[in-house]
Amino acid sequence: MTSWTYSMETANNVTEFIFWGLSQNPQVEAVCFLVFSFLYTVILLGNSLIMLTVCLGHLFKSPMYFFLFFLSFMDICFSSVTAPKMIIDLLVKTKTISFGGCIMQVFAVHFFGGIEIFILIVMAYDRYVAICKPLHYMTIMDRQKCNKMLLGTWVGGFLHSIIQVALVVQLPFCGPNEIDHYFCDVHPVLKLACTDTYVVGAVVTANSGTMTLGSFVILLISYTAILVSLRKQSAEGRRKALSTCGSHIAVVIIFFVPCIFMYMRPDTTFSEDKMVAVFYTIITPMLNPLIYTLRNAEVKNAMKKLWRRKVFWDANGK
């Protein structure tokens, strides 16, 4: 028993990992620091503005905006798992993360990412009911059912993430400890395990790949059904529905295409992975508020009312 414990401790002698980061060039890193600091600030401000608009604009009672609020919240959480450390690491020569921190990052990335995927599915279902079954909308999408759906997204995200972590944490790591990435994800970490990871990699692909591709197919079917049903709507109804669904479809495409590229494949990594990861961890959370604001008249009107109210308060304060 003692010798077995000793051998396990020897096999797991890696206490930290070293990231290669986005670039090894100091000049490029300086530019990246400015760019990604700006992008992360836009993510925080844009998504916070959406959340503030939904709350103060009295839109929270609508199921669509109820879920939009939590989608924006997930965008902030999801990007905050990787962006702050990546930005800080651009200023230092050696980019390290503890073994425990790496495992926590894997969990958080897949937890918040999983929740976001399930929220997008729920939002598609909400639009389907609103457009295809408008007379039963408030009955089907009442607040109690919305709360249960939201809870389901969190449970789904947790189950997906805990499977990923359970597969990684039981592997032995005895060196090397350098990750060609800017955050800990399953495939780059699996490459460092000093054992055969074929079976683990296949399970990871089945878990992440099936969830990503399956969710994408479900969403495509849902929005196809919605678009087909629009033939029965009036011209004004079609215009309003297309405006709302168009923004949802845009978000789905820019989020899922990079995810499918990353996770719907065997346990392999490519040099392009880092840039693809930037797209779904930074670019997509930044674009979501812009897409929903520019494509949604109700959100724009609520923001205008809040701005007028602020101007009125400022004028009275003076």
Side-chain angles (χ1 to χ4, degrees), residues 25-90:
N25 187 315
Q27 285 75 29
V28 173
E29 287 186 318
V31 174
C32 287
F33 173 79
L34 296 175
V35 171
F36 287 110
S37 294
F38 171 76
L39 295 181
Y40 183 58
T41 302
V42 172
I43 290 172
L44 296 179
L45 294 178
N47 285 287
S48 297
L49 181 60
I50 291 285
M51 295 167 65
L52 195 65
T53 302
V54 171
C55 287
L56 300 182
H58 306 294
L59 300 175
F60 213 77
K61 58 185 177 182
S62 167
M64 183 175 76
Y65 297 109
F66 173 78
F67 291 115
L68 177 58
F69 175 92
F70 285 102
L71 179 67
S72 294
F73 178 62
M74 283 303 111
D75 277 333
I76 291 175
C77 294
F78 184 54
S79 59
S80 296
V81 173
T82 58
K85 175 157 181 57
M86 177 194 69
I87 292 169
I88 293 171
D89 283 347
L90 289 168

Side-chain angles (χ1 to χ4, degrees), residues 1 14 19 26 38 48 56 70 89 134 137 142 164 174 196 204 207 263 309:
M1 183 68 180
V14 173
F19 294 131
F38 171 76
S48 297
L56 300 182
F70 285 102
D89 283 347
Y137 179 66
D142 63 29
Q164 305 289 75
C174 48
D196 182 18
V204 166
N207 182 20
Y263 299 111
R309 192 186 307 173

Side-chain angles (χ1 to χ4, degrees), residues 50-51 54 59-75 115-116 118-127 137 140-153 248 292:
I50 291 285
M51 295 167 65
V54 171
L59 300 175
F60 213 77
K61 58 185 177 182
S62 167
M64 183 175 76
Y65 297 109
F66 173 78
F67 291 115
L68 177 58
F69 175 92
F70 285 102
L71 179 67
S72 294
F73 178 62
M74 283 303 111
D75 277 333
I115 293 174
E116 184 152 344
F118 292 128
I119 287 179
L120 289 172
I121 292 176
V122 172
M123 291 178 75
Y125 176 71
D126 169 74
R127 289 300 85 202
Y137 179 66
I140 296 174
M141 299 297 294
D142 63 29
R143 180 46 56 91
Q144 186 178 10
K145 289 177 182 174
C146 287
N147 289 335
K148 288 180 180 178
M149 290 180 188
L150 182 64
L151 177 62
T153 65
H248 289 206
Y292 280 109

Side-chain angles (χ1 to χ4, degrees), residues 262-277:
M262 290 291 292
Y263 299 111
M264 197 60 212
R265 70 188 193 210
D267 180 25
T268 54
T269 57
F270 300 120
S271 58
E272 297 86 3
D273 286 354
K274 285 186 281 189
M275 293 313 300
V276 174

